[in-house]
Amino acid sequence: MDDKRNSFVDSVNVTMHPVTLRDAGGSYAKVMRKTACMGNIADKVLEQEKNLSRETILYAAGLLRNGIIELLKGGAAVEMLELGVLYIKPSKGMETENPTIGDVPPLTLAFSPSSLALAAVQNVTVGADVTSSKEPVLQKMTDLRTNTAGETLSVGGSVLLKGERLRITESSVEGNDTGVCFAPCKDDGTYNADMSDWVRVTPELLTENTPTRLLFTLPADVKAGTYRIIVRTSNGRGTYSAKTVRSGMLQEVVTVA
């Protein structure tokens, strides 16, 4: 068994993300994962049991690992040292209402923690180093035809958006379309979240595309009406694209006239 170990402190850091694509405020948090390896587990065992050797712990762990793998190969769910159950499940649903055995998708693994494991994390300390959101922030919109900032745009005119983390890059994941999106909405700001009726200004149509400024001409498909403006980008570090698309929405409902 590999004796690899990682270094960390007894707390977790979280990233805070605002919920941008709805009118109601709010945020959600993601715990930044830190993984303890077999070497870390051996360290903890040796703190409690001085009479065992490190080699004995690693050898026994290897035997347990091999036994678990053999049980999984046979299709069994495995109770993992009273910490929960490792079990097999289909990797996705089936699109047919009358599936046959041939429609069952490939199998994968999931884990259901026990009450003992859940109790262990109840008092974990959240560290003070909280990472801020990486979503685009739209702060100001200007109609360049009238040279006025506000909530109104001219049909066929040019638009300047200012904010933070705005630079748009294409997504490498099929179906995750990026760009400046115009979502037709009602006066109260409600719109179709499925993007089926959105008009998208793709990155190549942007005259200016920087982290703080987006400049473009309104597409002909953006008719007179009310819209939500949503920026979708997979911009990552440097020249690399992020694996997910991040979205930010202008707070005000925009009128195109």
Side-chain angles (χ1 to χ4, degrees):
M1 173 66 71
D2 191 349
D3 195 19
K4 177 183 176 182
R5 67 185 69 130
N6 290 325
S7 298
F8 42 75
V9 295
D10 293 331
S11 65
V12 296
N13 291 337
V14 297
T15 57
M16 310 302 294
H17 304 269
V19 179
T20 57
L21 297 186
R22 68 179 189 186
D23 291 331
S27 301
Y28 64 94
K30 288 185 177 180
V31 173
M32 297 176 65
R33 182 181 299 175
K34 54 181 185 179
T35 302
C37 300
M38 192 59 226
N40 299 105
I41 297 172
D43 290 342
K44 292 298 181 183
V45 172
L46 290 170
E47 289 177 6
Q48 303 295 324
E49 183 52 70
K50 306 295 185 181
N51 295 323
L52 287 176
S53 69
R54 191 174 196 89
E55 291 74 18
T56 299
I57 296 172
L58 297 174
Y59 178 70
L63 294 177
L64 286 171
R65 175 202 59 200
N66 295 341
I68 291 169
I69 289 175
E70 291 303 314
L71 288 167
L72 291 173
K73 287 180 178 178
V78 181
E79 196 279 316
M80 301 288 289
L81 306 176
E82 299 183 356
L83 296 177
V85 177
L86 189 66
Y87 63 94
I88 303 170
K89 70 169 190 175
S91 58
K92 59 182 179 179
M94 293 177 286
E95 298 180 356
T96 176
E97 295 182 358
N98 299 296
T100 66
I101 194 64
D103 295 314
V104 176
L107 301 179
T108 187
L109 287 172
F111 183 75
S112 177
S114 68
S115 58
L116 178 65
L118 292 173
V121 303
Q122 293 304 304
N123 296 318
V124 172
T125 302
V126 176
D129 183 16
V130 178
T131 305
S132 61
S133 167
K134 296 181 180 179
E135 279 80 7
V137 177
L138 285 71
Q139 298 171 334
K140 182 180 179 181
M141 180 190 73
T142 301
D143 182 342
L144 296 184
R145 175 172 288 181
T146 61
N147 198 29
T148 56
E151 304 168 12
T152 303
L153 295 175
S154 305
V155 172
S158 295
V159 184
L160 174 64
L161 289 175
K162 293 184 178 181
E164 300 175 5
R165 298 181 290 276
L166 296 180
R167 190 170 76 88
I168 296 175
T169 57
E170 293 283 7
S171 171
S172 60
V173 180
E174 185 177 355
N176 283 342
D177 295 329
T178 60
V180 181
C181 302
F182 285 76
C185 68
K186 299 179 181 178
D187 291 339
D188 61 3
T190 57
Y191 62 96
N192 292 329
D194 62 7
M195 300 180 63
S196 59
D197 57 354
W198 295 14
V199 180
R200 185 166 61 99
V201 181
T202 54
E204 64 270 15
L205 298 179
L206 298 171
T207 306
E208 191 171 351
N209 185 9
T210 74
T212 58
R213 293 166 59 95
L214 299 176
L215 177 62
F216 58 93
T217 300
L218 274 180
D221 290 339
V222 178
K223 309 295 185 182
T226 52
Y227 295 86
R228 285 291 198 182
I229 296 184
I230 300 165
V231 169
R232 290 171 51 83
T233 178
S234 62
N235 187 38
R237 292 183 177 180
T239 59
Y240 294 97
S241 295
K243 294 182 180 179
T244 58
V245 171
R246 302 185 181 104
S247 299
M249 183 170 64
L250 190 69
Q251 184 176 358
E252 296 81 12
V253 172
V254 172
T255 299
V256 178

